[in-house]
Each structure stands twice: as structure tokens, then as C-alpha cells.
Amino acid sequence: MPHGKPVIGQQAERKELTMLFPVKKTAAAGLALAFGLSLSGCATTEYVDEQIATVNNRIGALESKVAQVDSTAQAAAGSAQQANQRIDQLSGRMDGLEQQMVLLRQTPKKPRN
């Protein structure tokens, strides 16, 4: 073929090649992006250890607070139990005094003269 216009078959072949290059470039870019993201998704052992240490410290602090609250609650329960026992004792004494008052009111008074 002389240096003229390309033949129709050659035009179609060039068109196919031009269309393949953007697809190949896009596929390569997508593959590189996927590979890069897969590497960035991996956590290092050091990072995981730091995160675990942070969580363990927080758990330790919470356990300490729970122990303190439990101790305070136990002391309060003991004080409440002592107060209830004291009230029960006083209630018994009050019942006895009320009975004495009822008996005193029921007995006739003697004249003084």
C-alpha cells in the first residue's frame, strides 16, 4: 500500500488498540489501588499491642472503681443493718412504754384525801 489513507481493516485494528490501552491502564490502576489498600488494612503487632494495653488499662481502672464502690456499698449495708437492729430494739422499748401508759390510764385513780 502506498503512503495514502490506511485501509479500513487497519483503522479498525488501531481503534481496537487505542481502546485497549485505557482499559489496561484502568485495570492496572485499579489493581495497584486494591493492592495498596490491602497493605494499609493490615495492623502491625506493635499497634495491636498498644491498643490492647490501652484497653487493659481502662479495664484495670474500672475494676478498681468497681472494687471501691463495692467496698462502700458493703460498709453502707453494714451501717444500715446496725441501724435497723437499733430501731428494732427501740421499737420494743417503745411498745413496752406504750403498754405501761395504757395500763396506767385504765387503773382508777385513788383520791388523795
Side-chain angles (χ1 to χ4, degrees):
M1 273 189 231
H3 297 289
K5 293 184 175 180
V7 181
I8 294 176
Q10 289 178 340
Q11 284 180 344
E13 190 176 308
R14 283 187 186 169
K15 192 173 186 181
E16 282 181 16
L17 288 176
T18 335
M19 290 179 71
L20 285 179
F21 285 121
V23 171
K24 284 185 179 180
K25 286 181 183 178
T26 305
L31 184 61
L33 180 64
F35 182 73
L37 289 176
S38 70
L39 288 180
S40 67
C42 297
T44 64
T45 305
E46 182 180 331
Y47 174 78
V48 172
D49 289 343
E50 288 174 2
Q51 297 304 310
I52 289 173
T54 300
V55 170
N56 285 339
N57 289 339
R58 294 172 94 183
I59 289 172
L62 287 174
E63 285 176 342
S64 174
K65 286 181 182 180
V66 167
Q68 183 181 8
V69 168
D70 183 53
S71 174
T72 302
Q74 292 292 334
S79 295
Q81 189 175 17
Q82 287 176 351
N84 285 338
Q85 289 172 352
R86 182 78 175 136
I87 288 171
D88 289 343
Q89 290 172 354
L90 290 174
S91 293
R93 288 176 60 190
M94 287 296 294
D95 289 343
L97 289 173
E98 284 177 352
Q99 287 176 359
Q100 286 179 1
M101 287 178 57
V102 168
L103 288 174
L104 286 174
R105 286 183 187 161
Q106 289 177 355
T107 56
K109 293 186 180 181
K110 297 179 187 175
R112 290 191 171 187
N113 291 5

